[in-house]
Amino acid sequence: MKVPTYQASTRLTPETGAGQLRVQASGQALAAPFRAQAQFASAANRIATDYIAQEQENRRNQIINDALITSATSLQDTTSTAMSQQSPDDMVGVFDNGVQQIQDRLAGIDDRTMSELGPRLSQQISSARLNVIKMARNRSIEIQKATALELVDTLQIQMASGNTVQQMQASDLLFGTYDQDGQLIRPGVIAQGLQSGLFTGDEAEALRKDSESTIPELVARNQFATADQNSDPEGAAEVVARLRDLKEFVGLDNEQRTKLIEQGVDLEQQLISRIGRVQDKKDRDGDLSIKKTQDSTYSNMLTRIFDEDPND
């Protein structure tokens, strides 16, 4: 805008001094208020814009923090529920379903906020899923180990009570199959458990020693049971005599052998007492039967005597 200027001269007066004063209107000076107003408006607009941006950022951060807290709580519950499952497959499946539900609840969040939230949430989920997978693997190993131990028990029983063929089959499955030169052809369940990592070296060795001592103990107990069932004290005494021979029932430790001998001796005495009681009962029943027979005979004799006619 072009502002007109003018000059005016005044005469010299005592009040103004000896100098001549000039009055001039400046366009720059007149435009200064407008420039200041424009600068203020620009600053106010910048402040308002920065404030809005900061409010949006704060809002976005609040949404992210709230989502992380809520998701962390839900993730903890999902992880706990998953780990309570018995099946390893169910553990992973339950966890993945729970994660999907968490992600579905975040579907309404805008893309920009989600771009910041996503990586942080993914880190939480990945960490939790890794823990669930580790737990599922451990659970799977526990199940496989329990199955292997149950098979060991079954094979021990089969070796103790089965027929000759069953005993050989159980021995091969338990300890492995060997050729005539003693070379291992196929490992048994204990060796397989060691190779697969189900058993440690110490656990496998303990299982082998336990089987070697448990099987002869089961054999002795089965023989005692047969003697008991047949009320055969001589059979029980025979088993006790074999237990006293260290060449018999190889694999028993001293504690097992001593305990079995004591139990066998007690069984022998119980069977003798049982047979004695049975015999006493038979004797009493026999005496009673004889007495009944005698009473019947005496009664019949009296009947005939009284029935006879004295005049005949």
Side-chain angles (χ1 to χ4, degrees), residues 182-203:
Q183 298 297 320
L184 180 65
I185 300 175
R186 184 174 62 252
V189 62
I190 297 177
Q192 291 176 11
L194 176 61
Q195 293 173 358
S196 64
L198 292 179
F199 304 136
T200 64
D202 291 341
E203 288 174 335

Side-chain angles (χ1 to χ4, degrees), residues 145 149 152-153 156 174-175 190-191 194 199-215 251 253 256:
K145 188 173 184 178
L149 292 174
V152 168
D153 292 340
Q156 289 176 353
L174 184 58
F175 297 112
I190 297 177
L194 176 61
F199 304 136
T200 64
D202 291 341
E203 288 174 335
E205 180 65 16
L207 276 175
R208 183 186 64 80
K209 290 182 177 180
D210 176 74
S211 296
E212 291 176 348
S213 63
T214 297
I215 292 169
D253 58 34
Q256 286 175 302

Side-chain angles (χ1 to χ4, degrees), residues 219-232 235-236 267 271:
V219 171
R221 292 190 181 281
N222 288 339
Q223 293 178 359
F224 281 144
T226 300
D228 187 15
Q229 184 177 2
N230 296 332
S231 297
D232 182 10
L267 176 61
L271 292 175

